[in-house]
Amino acid sequence: MQLTPEHESVRDTLIRFIDKEVNPHVDQWERAQIFPAHQVFRRLGELGMLGLTKPVENGGAGLDYSYGAVMAEGLAHMHCGGIPMAIGVQTDMATPALAHRGSRELRDEFLAPAVAGEYVACLGVSEVGSGSDVASVKTTARKQGGDYVIDGGKMWTTNGTQADFCVVLANTSDGSSHKNKSLIVVPMKTPGVSVARKLVKMGMHASDTAQLHFDSVRVPQRYRIGEEGMGFIYQMEQFQIERLWGALNAGAMAQRAIDTTVAYTRERRAFGRSILDNQWVHFTLAELQTEVAALRALSWQGVQEVVAGQDATRTATMAKLKAGRVIRAVADGCLQFWGGMGYMDETPISRIFRDGRLTSIGGGADEVMLQILSKFMGTFPAGH
Ligand SMILES: Cc1cc2nc3c(=O)[nH]c(=O)nc-3n(C[C@H](O)[C@H](O)[C@H](O)COP(=O)(O)OP(=O)(O)OC[C@H]3O[C@@H](n4cnc5c(N)ncnc54)[C@H](O)[C@@H]3O)c2cc1C
């Protein structure tokens, strides 16, 4: 896909912001296991970065997804994976359905402030007992008068301790599990919403992750996104953007791993020459670079399909699967060439190793991607 000066301008603005206002604080935010989401998002909102692909009437720029893709890649310039992920949740995971299917009133109330960076969004799909099997979520939203009363809970909710609203997938009837769900916007200050605990993770430290409880949470029915019973379908649509975002961001993170490893191994010496001058080292890095280029080509094919208005499910699924494999191979392969320093918390490669590991799990595990792809291939056994 041909990138224009406008794409470059988005990237340059983002990189300048990251260099000046994010990277100098990343180590401190990683240690604190949280970053000031409202502060960072407000600045991103002022720069127009949270609404590149969102409707103009909600304060967005109304651009096509190629601009969102440039941002997904550019965010990997941050010296951690957690803050990019938190921003990705805001732009590409919790709000696509709201932007495409939400009523005008709902978009005015929740999307516009999310685009401005005044509100932080989170996505409540996974539950303690339901991650891969999304259709099995247990949270219910029962109609009472003009309201829904929501009971249940969500698990691993990114931005969960800081968010202003959560887009919750809940069962709104007892019917078939693919047709009984709705996506509902739940303001986090509503009585009955509580953060049960802030989860401690192996990586993505600057990003806060929460377990949420909903105890008789009452929200008006107009907070439902789109049609009742269509929540599972809307979430599957929304997953395509989430997965493409994950592939683009992980690919760019893998590129940063290679670049930083080339720089380190060029300087570090053993046996009278630089580590990089060993053929095993520069050949391995060339091999990994090829993997990253192949991933990027696949991801951008998906972007092109989205821009053309085609169904990108198959390509986004392949890209997400490949991204999980590639970031693991690259992070592990590169870390090896850092020797003891690779095992130190202070080096960029050890953070990429920890943060990148999530790609094969979050947004649907590799095996779930393989299941979807098997269905496309007609090889998935009937009745499963
Ligand atoms: C840091 C982090 C942030 C997250 N953020 C969010 C968020 O903001 N919102 C949200 O809703 N969720 C979020 N998640 C949840 C994430 O999407 C789930 O963890 C993921 O979908 C996997 O679900 P699970 O953990 O329940 O795994 P399980 O369903 O318990 O599966 C465990 C493992 O079993 C294997 N497996 C599963 N199904 C199959 C199969 N059919 N065939 C073969 N093997 C299989 C896979 O290897 C899988 O990893 C986050 C998770 C993490 C760790």
Side-chain angles (χ1 to χ4, degrees):
M1 192 163 184
Q2 192 66 41
L3 294 188
T4 63
E6 286 74 34
H7 290 97
E8 295 302 330
S9 157
V10 166
R11 195 187 139 74
D12 291 348
T13 304
L14 185 62
I15 299 298
R16 271 198 305 277
F17 167 74
I18 293 171
D19 281 337
K20 193 158 163 249
E21 299 185 48
V22 176
N23 281 344
H25 308 288
V26 161
D27 288 346
Q28 183 200 335
W29 293 339
E30 283 273 299
R31 275 194 301 276
Q33 308 227 333
I34 196 156
F35 79 106
H38 284 93
Q39 179 191 315
V40 172
F41 284 16
R42 217 167 285 125
R43 285 290 297 126
L44 281 166
E46 283 165 12
L47 295 169
M49 291 289 145
L50 298 179
L52 292 171
T53 62
K54 297 294 189 286
V56 174
E57 62 190 23
N58 300 122
L63 297 166
D64 68 47
Y65 192 64
S66 63
Y67 290 85
V70 165
M71 178 162 172
E73 290 190 334
L75 285 170
H77 185 65
M78 288 187 185
H79 291 167
C80 71
I83 304 172
M85 178 173 69
I87 297 166
V89 166
Q90 177 90 354
T91 56
D92 290 49
M93 301 177 203
T95 55
L98 177 60
H100 293 128
R101 308 282 184 178
S103 67
R104 192 184 179 120
E105 195 185 18
L106 202 59
R107 284 187 282 118
D108 285 347
E109 193 168 342
F110 294 101
L111 186 61
V115 165
E118 288 156 13
Y119 277 2
V120 172
C122 66
L123 175 67
V125 172
S126 307
E127 302 184 354
V128 172
S130 308
S132 301
D133 186 3
V134 172
S136 72
V137 299
K138 297 282 181 286
T139 296
T140 55
R142 307 244 174 244
K143 278 183 184 157
Q144 224 174 69
D147 296 335
Y148 282 118
V149 177
I150 302 174
D151 285 284
K154 294 293 169 180
M155 185 63 174
W156 302 296
T157 314
T158 300
N159 297 343
T161 73
Q162 305 193 72
D164 297 281
F165 69 89
C166 185
V167 173
V168 173
L169 185 70
N171 297 304
T172 39
S173 73
D174 296 326
S176 125
S177 61
H178 291 164
K179 293 182 185 159
N180 72 337
K181 297 181 172 45
S182 302
L183 283 175
I184 302 170
V185 179
V186 177
M188 295 293 280
K189 289 208 172 92
T190 315
V193 177
S194 59
V195 174
R197 59 187 174 125
K198 180 168 177 266
L199 302 162
V200 179
K201 307 186 293 298
M202 72 172 267
M204 299 289 195
H205 287 154
S207 154
D208 60 301
T209 314
Q211 181 176 359
L212 304 177
H213 280 175
F214 304 126
D215 184 13
S216 298
V217 175
R218 187 176 282 273
V219 297
Q221 281 178 35
R222 62 185 168 80
Y223 281 5
R224 188 189 63 236
I225 294 173
E227 286 177 46
E228 188 168 85
M230 288 295 289
F232 183 82
I233 307 289
Y234 295 161
Q235 184 50 40
M236 292 301 122
E237 288 173 3
Q238 188 160 250
F239 266 142
Q240 301 327 310
I241 297 299
E242 167 166 351
R243 288 171 184 159
L244 260 188
W245 188 96
L248 290 157
N249 186 255
M253 197 199 284
Q255 186 62 58
R256 185 159 61 81
I258 292 173
D259 294 344
T260 186
T261 301
V262 167
Y264 180 77
T265 54
R266 199 187 290 285
E267 293 303 316
R268 179 80 177 170
R269 297 180 72 79
F271 304 105
R273 57 175 150 169
S274 80
I275 300 285
L276 186 62
D277 279 349
N278 292 286
Q279 191 187 61
W280 169 248
V281 177
H282 56 254
F283 272 21
T284 301
L285 291 171
E287 190 89 47
L288 294 173
Q289 182 63 74
T290 307
E291 286 294 300
V292 172
L295 165 62
R296 192 161 189 242
L298 190 57
S299 302
W300 276 89
Q301 183 190 319
V303 173
Q304 218 155 355
E305 289 168 8
V306 171
V307 171
Q310 296 161 359
D311 179 5
T313 307
R314 184 171 168 274
T315 310
T317 305
M318 283 181 171
K320 162 74 167 60
L321 172 69
K322 187 72 181 161
R325 311 288 207 222
V326 168
I327 187 66
R328 286 161 73 179
V330 169
D332 188 53
C334 287
L335 188 146
Q336 183 65 21
F337 299 144
W338 287 66
M341 287 314 289
Y343 205 70
M344 295 300 103
D345 196 49
E346 68 197 66
T347 50
I349 195 64
S350 68
R351 193 174 287 164
I352 292 172
F353 182 85
R354 291 193 304 268
D355 293 353
R357 187 62 182 81
L358 181 62
T359 310
S360 279
I361 298 171
D366 285 358
E367 292 77 5
V368 171
M369 300 305 107
L370 291 167
Q371 187 174 304
I372 296 169
L373 292 170
S374 306
K375 286 179 185 169
F376 272 103
M377 293 170 73
T379 54
F380 193 71
H384 279 251

